[in-house]
């Protein structure tokens, strides 16, 4: 689920649950309970030492709604922080009653919290003009391949993953950026995003490759070192969250803060991002 922040204090109205940091701007509230009886309860984060109305910022609920919280029975939900802010900006998370200024349950956000971040691995270099900049593992199921090139002349080239350091016929075919599993067309320095199928994650595989399935030839591959990927975000697709890609006016961003959320329009439900929506990566 990401980095554990901690369990909510169980103060009033049956509030309980455990909070995780999915990435710098997204939290996952696991097994959340609240009786729904409070008159004006909301999710809040704040900058004061303990929960209070001073320095507090209200969050929208998991559906993007701005109204008082409904009843929850052991539900697991994802919440987004306000545009332009990260978990480093806040000291606590709370279920807070506006009408009576009462904390129903809260958890401290440690200053030392290390939230998950995307990670860079190697660049593709190989035959048939295959090349790219270093690949970014955005989360456990999402790969971003900057400036990908391939001459398109092989009969049955596919995006390919598998166990171990090198590709083999026992690998798994990965759909292209449009969700298709047909032989790859020509690419000329195009930045694309690929999503691993089903519940397959980068922790289940050891490499990513361009592989000719018909002739079992490796055109190029990169290894996916477990140590490098140890702190990438959990699968946002599995959590029902859109990977953090702006849909308009893409700009550069550092990998650890990738990309800036306060730019462009954001999707609240998961859908694979389109390649032309992506910001360029830093050197």
């Amino acid at each position: 689920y990401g980095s554990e922040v901690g369990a909510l204090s169980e103060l009033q109205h049956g509030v309980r649950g455990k909070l995780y940091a999915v990435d710098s701007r997204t939290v996952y509230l696991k097994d959340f309970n609240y009786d729904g009886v409070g008159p004006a309860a909301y999710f809040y984060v704040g900058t004061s030492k303990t929960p209070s109305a001073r320095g507090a910022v209200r969050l929208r609920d998991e559906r993007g709604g701005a109204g008082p919280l409904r009843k929850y029975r052991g539900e697991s939900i994802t919440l987004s922080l306000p545009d332009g802010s990260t978990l480093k900006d806040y000291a606590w998370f709370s279920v807070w009653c506006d009408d009576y200024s009462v904390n129903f349950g809260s958890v401290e956000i440690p200053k030392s919290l290390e939230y998950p971040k995307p990670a860079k691995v190697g660049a593709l270099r190989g035959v048939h003009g295959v090349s790219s900049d270093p690949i970014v593992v955005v989360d456990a199921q999402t790969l971003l391949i900057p400036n990908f090139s391939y001459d398109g002349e092989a009969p049955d080239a596919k995006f390919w993953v598998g166990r171990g350091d090198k590709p083999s016929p026992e690998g798994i075919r990965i759909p292209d950026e449009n969700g298709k599993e047909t032989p790859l067309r020509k690419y000329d320095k195009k930045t694309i995003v690929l999503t691993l199928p089903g519940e397959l994650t980068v922790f289940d595989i050891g490499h990513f490759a361009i592989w000719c399935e018909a002739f079992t030839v490796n055109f190029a591959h990169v290894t996916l070192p477990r140590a490098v990927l140890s702190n990438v975000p959990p699968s946002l697709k599995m959590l029902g969250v859109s990977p953090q890609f702006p849909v308009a006016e893409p700009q550069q961003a550092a990998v650890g803060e990738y990309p800036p959320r306060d730019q462009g329009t954001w999707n609240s439900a998961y859908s694979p991002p389109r390649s032309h929506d992506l910001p360029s990566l830093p050197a």
Side-chain angles (χ1 to χ4, degrees), residues 105-128:
S106 63
V107 61
E108 177 186 355
I109 300 174
K111 291 185 180 298
S112 60
L113 177 68
E114 290 294 331
Y115 48 76
K117 300 176 183 178
K120 280 187 179 181
V121 293
L124 292 168
R125 292 289 184 274
V127 299
H128 279 286

Side-chain angles (χ1 to χ4, degrees), residues 150 152 154-159 173 176 180-187 211-214:
Y150 160 60
D156 198 25
K158 305 285 175 56
F159 295 120
R173 189 185 308 126
D176 66 17
K180 298 179 180 179
E181 296 185 7
T182 52
L184 299 182
R185 57 181 174 79
K186 180 179 180 179
Y187 291 83
W211 174 263
C212 181
E213 192 168 5

Side-chain angles (χ1 to χ4, degrees), residues 40-137:
Y42 300 90
F43 296 120
Y44 271 91
V45 290
T47 58
S48 55
K49 187 174 181 179
T50 59
S52 71
R54 184 171 56 87
V57 178
R58 185 189 296 176
L59 305 183
R60 291 184 176 271
D61 65 24
E62 74 281 6
R63 299 170 180 171
L69 298 182
R70 60 180 175 84
K71 183 176 183 178
Y72 292 82
R73 295 181 178 178
E75 298 180 42
S76 295
I77 61 175
T78 54
L79 305 170
S80 298
L81 297 185
D83 289 349
S85 66
T86 75
L87 286 166
K88 297 291 187 184
D89 298 320
Y90 302 107
W92 49 264
F93 171 91
S94 172
V95 179
W96 178 266
C97 178
D98 275 356
D99 283 3
Y100 294 96
S101 296
V102 174
N103 176 21
F104 290 169
S106 63
V107 61
E108 177 186 355
I109 300 174
K111 291 185 180 298
S112 60
L113 177 68
E114 290 294 331
Y115 48 76
K117 300 176 183 178
K120 280 187 179 181
V121 293
L124 292 168
R125 292 289 184 274
V127 299
H128 279 286
V130 172
S131 66
S132 76
D133 290 346
I135 293 172
V136 178
V137 180

Side-chain angles (χ1 to χ4, degrees), residues 20 25 36 38 40-41 50 52 61 75 133 136 142-143 159 166 168 179 197-198 213 244 247 266 271 273 277 283:
Y20 294 83
R25 305 174 182 88
T50 59
S52 71
D61 65 24
E75 298 180 42
D133 290 346
V136 178
T142 308
L143 304 178
F159 295 120
K166 296 181 180 180
S168 74
E213 192 168 5
Q244 296 186 5
V247 179
W266 291 80
S271 59
D277 295 335

Side-chain angles (χ1 to χ4, degrees), residues 235-255:
S235 168
L236 301 185
K237 182 182 75 172
M238 290 180 180
L239 296 179
V241 182
S242 178
Q244 296 186 5
F245 298 108
V247 179
E249 300 179 358
Q251 297 186 21
Q252 285 194 345
V255 168

